[in-house]
Amino acid sequence: MDRIPILKMGNLLLVSIQVDLHDQLALDLQDDLSERIVATGARGVLIDISALEIVDSFIGRMLSTIASLSRLLDAETVVVGMRPAVAITLVELGLYMPGVRTALTLEHGLALLGAEVRVSRSDEDEIDDAQGDREPDGLAGYAPVRAGPGGGEPATTGAASRGDGGRTGDR
Amino acid sequence: MTGMDSQRHPIVTESDVVRVRQVVRTLAVAAKLSLVDQTKMVTAASELARNTLVYGGGGEMMIDLVDSGRRRGVRAVFIDTGPGIPDLDLALTEGWTSGSGLGLGLTGSRRLVDEFAIDSSPGVGTTVRVVKWSR
């Protein structure tokens, strides 16, 4: 059975989903990602779904679970490249993805993760340079998908709000 | 409304669910649905096909193009001979999900299509019929 490849770039893991996901493949990706986060000590996970023509409740739940898992393993997850038709359909379907942060493009997603990693690890980060003059404030528009009424996993909703909370205080 | 070229597709494995999506997409394009409407119809079909597989223990989808005279559309019927749904009203209640957490399927997919009809009898099975029309 094939697997979705996971690429390591610095302290990030990159996943680009290029196939029509069946359910087992989605579940395998969850497992593989959590193992790779621990093995590599990655601080961020970037998932590109620009090739996905649909996101149904199963795939949506997989993305939520990955976000929750990676948060527990001290890594942030950003989902990038959602197609407009997919976003419209998800809203109508009533699927809210608690804890899943989104960015329109890979570049914005990297900036979002880079900005956070820089804040929490100020001394050592090569991503600083790549960031250039991009201000974290400029990313305020990339709010996470919020937990909706009756949305799934309660454990994630509290911690899933804005990126400027959470990580910085306890270091 | 008249149908043509009815196709039958088994839903027995997870890859059948993926195939169902592709078939529905092809017919949605043929019916000249907009991209958003194609996406809604394919997503609804994915939910319903998964219900057929997971709750119905497998089954099949019948799909065809339909024509109302003014508009074209795609009609998909999901049929299983599984345990059935004992309380349909409850299953169609907003926010209700069964224990395994695969909820959303029925109420969510109903919102994504133009016509939605369900028939279920305990011990006999469940049939869900959905139609999406071009605008």
Side-chain angles (χ1 to χ4, degrees):
Chain A
M1 186 58 75
D2 43 2
R3 307 287 257 224
I4 309 277
I6 301 170
L7 308 177
K8 181 175 177 299
M9 189 182 86
N11 52 14
L12 304 180
L13 295 179
L14 306 183
V15 178
S16 186
I17 303 173
Q18 298 287 333
V19 296
D20 208 340
L21 275 181
H22 60 77
D23 294 356
Q24 188 57 46
L25 203 53
L27 293 173
D28 289 344
L29 177 60
Q30 270 174 220
D31 294 350
D32 292 350
L33 257 180
S34 37
E35 277 172 27
R36 285 295 296 278
I37 290 169
V38 172
T40 62
R43 307 305 309 276
V45 176
L46 202 132
I47 303 176
D48 167 35
I49 61 165
S50 59
L52 284 189
E53 292 183 341
I54 67 150
V55 172
D56 65 4
S57 63
F58 195 91
I59 299 170
R61 197 172 300 109
M62 169 201 78
L63 294 172
S64 285
T65 304
I66 287 174
S68 309
L69 275 172
S70 68
R71 184 173 289 275
L72 287 172
L73 300 173
D74 202 18
E76 290 293 320
T77 299
V78 177
V79 171
V80 304
M82 184 182 291
R83 298 182 180 195
V86 169
I88 292 168
T89 301
L90 276 179
V91 170
E92 205 146 318
L93 184 62
L95 185 71
Y96 302 88
M97 297 191 286
V100 177
R101 309 180 67 184
T102 58
L104 287 183
T105 66
L106 183 64
E107 218 169 17
H108 287 125
L110 283 170
L112 201 53
L113 287 170
E116 292 210 325
V117 174
R118 179 172 57 177
V119 167
S120 54
R121 291 194 161 174
S122 50
D123 304 328
E124 46 170 291
D125 216 328
E126 70 271 2
I127 290 176
D128 268 351
D129 294 326
Q131 280 293 307
D133 53 5
R134 193 184 289 279
E135 293 294 326
D137 285 348
L139 300 166
Y142 297 96
V145 175
R146 296 244 297 277
E153 304 131 11
T156 69
T157 52
S161 49
R162 277 281 203 272
D164 53 1
R167 300 183 69 92
T168 51
D170 53 357
R171 279 174 196 279
Chain B
M1 150 168 110
T2 56
M4 46 202 136
D5 304 329
S6 183
Q7 300 174 21
R8 174 191 298 257
H9 295 273
I11 303 172
V12 182
T13 67
E14 284 180 8
S15 26
D16 290 335
V17 176
V18 173
R19 197 164 306 114
V20 158
R21 288 181 206 148
Q22 291 160 353
V23 168
V24 172
R25 170 77 67 178
T26 303
L27 267 75
V29 170
K32 297 199 160 44
L33 265 58
S34 71
L35 179 60
V36 169
D37 284 342
Q38 289 171 32
T39 306
K40 287 180 181 177
M41 181 64 178
V42 174
T43 306
S46 185
E47 300 292 339
L48 295 172
R50 187 176 293 105
N51 279 359
T52 298
L53 179 64
V54 174
Y55 296 130
E60 62 182 9
M61 174 187 70
M62 307 284 288
I63 185 166
D64 56 3
L65 288 174
V66 287
D67 195 330
S68 72
R70 288 185 13 254
R71 297 184 299 176
R72 299 188 89 188
V74 184
R75 172 173 57 189
V77 185
F78 296 83
I79 304 158
D80 70 59
T81 52
I85 303 170
D87 188 343
L88 261 187
D89 288 340
L90 179 64
L92 288 169
T93 302
E94 208 63 35
W96 181 86
T97 105
S98 71
S100 60
L102 282 166
L104 275 187
L106 283 182
T107 54
S109 53
R110 183 163 63 169
R111 282 193 294 272
L112 294 176
V113 296
D114 296 321
E115 294 177 27
F116 182 98
I118 182 166
D119 183 23
S120 187
S121 310
V124 179
T126 301
T127 299
V128 182
R129 185 181 63 84
V130 295
V131 182
K132 188 85 179 166
W133 293 103
S134 62
R135 315 245 158 248

